[in-house]
């Protein structure tokens, strides 16, 4: 093995090699250079991690909300002090520009602070109950939960799952993407320093067909929470269902961004650029479909093309870089394939549509910001998730048509409405079959704000009280407060209520 660093699994509070001793390489998508070797977990490693997590749950699941809140609060503080280290790692393994990743990672301590506070303050309920009874509920943790996370927002997406899971009293086995496992592994150090007991958080990197399958199918897992493609989500839900495990799934998207005629053109184009090309389009809420009122369609395209061609591609670690590479050769090939499909379907390539091979982008997986016009809604490029810097621009003539087009995909994760009319904004939002809707903005998130999709975009919610609740199960306790004797089989019980 080379002199490159080796990242081991994090299990039971320790760095450990995989049972097989195998490792895999993690590549820098900006240069194709190997960054490190990582222990490759498989079924045996998952078995061990689940066993460790189950043992830890015996005590962690009984801790008070105050204790869990204190630990998560300390984790927030420790993470805040190590932010730049995590940012640099995220940039290296994903290729996302430093200017993007620093803005994203800087917010992550908020999740641990928020869910730590929720663990301290969440109140159970006392539902009405007829008669002389005290009726109350308790939310108790599920047990050992499994997290399967992607490569595009490695630490953010894991944090959205881990923070509520730990706050609710569960223990965790995480399977991060093989393309971006660094930050999830180092997160174990943060928790350990914060005082989280060994075995409560475990991270086993590996591949979906081995480690991911073992985690999804393990009978000791009480919930699987994954972020990934829709087809993967369907398979994982089916596998977990064999054990009657709960499933949370944030899956594919094909977000529509609606621009009404009353919005300022410059503001509209800026909004489209951000929604379409942030993260090189590698995000499930990418504004992949720009729906533009016909009265401004031509001017919109002209300005969007000009601005897209001005985006600076380059070294992701350079703060001046505005767009980085795609994460892998596989992803680059996928984008190229879909661009060719769009051309063959009859769409017009107005910008981009090619790899970027000029220095400093000549060694990595760079692709130019790409714009399709003359797009019909039924085209594959307008319907299928590409996960790259490709946006389709479609015109509409009326509010009703805009709503129809925005709903006319199998996805329903996110969408945006740009208008200066308050009435129209809310009226349209109420008609969209979409879980996350922004008005005059895009890609905003908060730990208190529920996040999740409709239709083929997933099930369950991240963030907010719903996320906390979905990491618990309800125990209902009914107490008879009466001192009156009761014997169903001796007394005359005619008319007595028993159910």
């Amino acid at each position: 093995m080379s002199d490159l660093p080796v990242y081991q699994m994090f299990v039971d509070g320790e760095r450990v090699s995989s049972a097989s001793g195998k490792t895999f390489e993690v590549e820098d998508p900006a240069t194709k250079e190997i960054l490190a070797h990582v222990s490759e977990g498989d079924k045996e490693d998952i078995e061990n991690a689940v066993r460790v997590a189950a043992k830890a749950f015996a005590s962690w699941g009984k801790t008070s909300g105050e204790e869990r809140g204190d630990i998560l609060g300390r984790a927030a503080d420790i993470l805040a002090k190590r932010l730049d280290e995590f940012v640099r790692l995220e940039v290296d393994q994903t290729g996302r520009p430093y200017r993007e990743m620093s803005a994203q990672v800087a917010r992550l301590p908020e999740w641990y602070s928020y869910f730590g506070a929720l663990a301290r303050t969440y109140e159970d309920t006392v539902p009405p109950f007829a008669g002389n009874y005290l009726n109350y509920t308790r939310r108790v943790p599920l047990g050992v939960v499994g997290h399967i996370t992607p490569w595009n927002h490695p630490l953010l997406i894991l944090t959205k799952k881990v923070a509520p899971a730990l706050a609710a009293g569960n223990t965790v086995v995480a399977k991060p993407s093989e393309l971006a496992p660094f930050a999830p592994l180092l997160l174990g150090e943060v928790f350990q320093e914060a005082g989280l007991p060994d075995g409560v958080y475990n991270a086993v990197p590996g591949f979906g067909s081995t480690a991911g399958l073992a985690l999804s199918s393990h009978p000791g897992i009480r919930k699987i929470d994954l972020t990934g493609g829709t087809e993967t989500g369907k398979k994982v839900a089916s596998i977990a269902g064999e054990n009657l495990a709960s499933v949370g799934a944030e899956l594919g998207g094909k977000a529509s961004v609606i621009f009404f005629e009353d919005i300022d053109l410059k503001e509209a184009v800026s909004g489209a650029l951000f929604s379409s090309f942030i993260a090189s389009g590698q995000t499930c809420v990418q504004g992949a479909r720009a729906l533009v009122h016909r009265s401004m369609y031509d001017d919109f395209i002209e300005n969007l093309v000009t601005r897209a061609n001005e985006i600076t591609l380059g070294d992701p670690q350079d703060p001046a870089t505005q767009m980085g590479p795609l994460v892998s050769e596989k992803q680059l090939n996928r984008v190229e394939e879909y661009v060719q499909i769009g051309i063959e379907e009859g769409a017009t390539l107005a910008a981009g549509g090619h790899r970027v091979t000029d220095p400093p982008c000549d060694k990595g997986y760079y692709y130019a910001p790409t714009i399709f016009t003359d797009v019909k809604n039924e085209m594959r490029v307008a319907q299928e998730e590409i996960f790259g810097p490709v946006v389709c621009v479609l015109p509409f003539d009326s509010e009703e048509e805009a709503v129809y087009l925005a709903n006319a995909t199998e996805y329903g994760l996110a969408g945006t409405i740009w208008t200066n009319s308050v009435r129209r904004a809310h009226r349209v939002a109420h008609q969209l079959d979409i879980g996350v809707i922004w008005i005059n903005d895009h890609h905003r998130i908060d730990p208190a704000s529920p996040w999740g999709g409709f239709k083929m975009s997933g099930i369950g919610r991240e963030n907010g009280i719903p996320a906390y609740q979905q990491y618990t199960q309800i125990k209902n306790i009914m107490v008879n407060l009466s001192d009156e004797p009761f014997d169903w089989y001796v007394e005359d019980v005619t008319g007595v209520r028993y159910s």
Side-chain angles (χ1 to χ4, degrees):
M1 191 174 290
S2 68
D3 293 331
L4 292 171
V6 177
Y7 286 80
Q8 295 176 297
M9 303 183 301
F10 187 86
V11 178
D12 205 12
E14 296 182 349
R15 299 284 175 198
V16 295
S17 298
S18 60
S20 67
K22 293 192 295 184
T23 63
F24 60 87
E25 297 174 338
V26 175
E27 185 182 40
D28 182 344
T31 63
K32 302 181 186 177
E33 295 176 354
I34 302 304
L35 295 168
H37 301 277
V38 179
S39 293
E40 181 184 336
D42 58 20
K43 183 177 181 179
E44 186 175 350
D45 301 296
I46 292 293
E47 288 278 356
N48 180 54
V50 173
R51 178 186 60 78
V52 164
K55 182 179 178 181
F57 177 71
S59 55
W60 176 251
K62 297 175 183 176
T63 56
S64 67
E66 289 82 0
E67 183 177 350
R68 296 196 297 270
D70 287 346
I71 291 173
L72 290 175
R74 289 195 294 270
D77 293 339
I78 294 164
L79 180 59
K81 294 175 182 177
R82 297 182 61 177
L83 282 178
D84 198 63
E85 175 190 0
F86 277 92
V87 170
R88 297 290 181 184
L89 286 172
E90 296 279 80
V91 172
D92 279 344
Q93 63 186 351
T94 66
R96 285 192 66 178
Y98 181 87
R99 71 200 304 259
E100 284 185 21
M101 199 56 83
S102 59
Q104 182 182 98
V105 174
R107 295 207 54 207
L108 299 192
E110 297 175 35
W111 267 256
Y112 297 104
S113 297
Y114 171 82
F115 281 103
L118 191 55
R120 278 179 157 275
T121 60
Y122 188 85
E123 297 180 359
D124 291 317
T125 64
V126 185
F129 197 93
N132 195 14
Y133 287 85
L134 170 65
N135 183 39
Y136 65 97
T137 67
R138 296 190 64 215
R139 283 196 175 268
V140 297
L142 298 173
V144 183
V145 299
H147 293 155
I148 299 176
T149 58
W151 47 261
N152 58 332
H153 308 289
L155 191 56
L156 168 64
I157 290 176
L158 179 62
T159 289
K160 290 196 296 179
K161 302 179 190 305
V162 169
L166 296 181
N170 301 281
T171 55
V172 172
V173 177
K175 203 295 287 182
S177 167
E178 69 277 8
L179 296 178
F182 298 160
L185 291 171
L186 287 186
L187 188 61
E189 294 180 358
V190 173
F191 289 140
Q192 195 168 47
E193 187 178 345
L196 190 72
D198 293 344
V200 174
Y201 173 81
N202 308 276
V204 180
F207 295 88
S209 60
T210 51
L213 176 60
L215 187 60
S216 302
S217 60
H218 198 291
I221 294 293
R222 298 317 309 144
K223 177 175 181 174
I224 283 286
D225 196 339
L226 80 149
T227 297
T230 296
E231 291 307 312
T232 299
K234 290 178 182 179
K235 292 176 183 176
V236 168
S238 176
I239 292 168
E242 291 293 321
N243 296 315
L244 295 181
S246 300
V247 176
E250 201 257 62
L251 306 175
K254 193 74 173 178
S256 292
V257 183
I258 306 172
F259 297 97
F260 285 101
E261 69 276 13
D262 63 340
I263 199 73
D264 176 76
L265 179 63
K266 183 178 179 180
E267 185 179 4
V269 170
S270 295
L273 283 170
F274 178 71
S275 65
S276 299
F277 302 125
I278 195 77
S280 300
Q282 298 172 119
T283 171
C284 46
V285 297
Q286 180 213 12
R289 294 158 49 91
L291 310 181
V292 183
H293 193 272
R294 196 176 299 275
S295 65
M296 61 188 294
Y297 180 78
D298 292 337
D299 290 338
F300 179 93
I301 291 171
E302 180 182 353
N303 282 268
L304 184 64
V305 168
T306 298
R307 290 290 309 279
N309 289 333
E310 294 172 349
I311 292 176
T312 301
L313 282 72
D315 177 4
Q317 293 285 4
D318 184 345
T321 294
Q322 297 174 326
M323 194 169 120
L326 297 173
V327 75
S328 65
E329 184 175 17
K330 178 181 178 182
Q331 200 62 28
L332 180 60
N333 291 337
R334 176 183 175 89
V335 172
E336 284 194 310
E337 178 183 348
Y338 268 101
V339 169
Q340 186 59 37
I341 288 170
I343 293 170
E344 293 172 357
E345 287 180 315
T348 298
L349 197 58
H354 59 84
R355 297 189 182 203
V356 178
T357 56
D358 298 330
C361 304
D362 53 319
K363 296 180 179 179
Y365 304 117
Y366 289 86
Y367 201 85
T370 298
I371 301 168
F372 273 121
T373 59
D374 301 316
V375 178
K376 293 184 176 7
N377 186 61
E378 63 271 16
M379 290 181 176
R380 289 182 62 188
V381 287
Q383 289 292 321
E384 298 177 12
E385 187 174 41
I386 300 173
F387 228 65
V390 181
V391 59
C392 297
V393 187
L394 294 82
F396 66 87
D397 293 298
S398 65
E399 180 180 311
E400 292 73 22
E401 185 182 10
V403 170
Y404 167 78
L405 288 172
N407 286 334
T409 77
E410 67 176 355
Y411 299 109
L413 179 56
T416 300
I417 303 161
W418 289 85
T419 179
N420 288 322
S421 168
V422 173
R423 293 179 180 180
R424 172 191 278 162
H426 290 281
R427 186 169 62 240
V428 170
H430 292 180
Q431 298 177 71
L432 297 181
D433 297 329
I434 292 172
V436 181
I437 299 171
W438 298 282
I439 296 173
N440 298 334
D441 211 331
H442 195 88
H443 212 314
R444 304 301 177 182
I445 189 171
D446 190 89
S449 186
W451 178 281
F454 292 2
K455 300 188 286 189
M456 289 296 156
S457 286
I459 51 177
R461 290 295 181 268
E462 296 175 328
N463 300 339
I465 293 173
Y468 179 87
Q469 291 175 331
Q470 288 167 22
Y471 276 103
T472 67
Q473 51 194 338
I474 297 178
K475 183 180 293 187
N476 190 187
I477 301 169
M478 292 158 279
V479 184
N480 183 359
L481 301 179
S482 174
D483 287 331
E484 294 296 322
F486 174 75
D487 188 335
W488 181 264
Y489 294 100
V490 175
E491 301 173 352
D492 179 5
V493 294
T494 303
V496 173
R497 176 180 182 269
Y498 74 97
S499 63

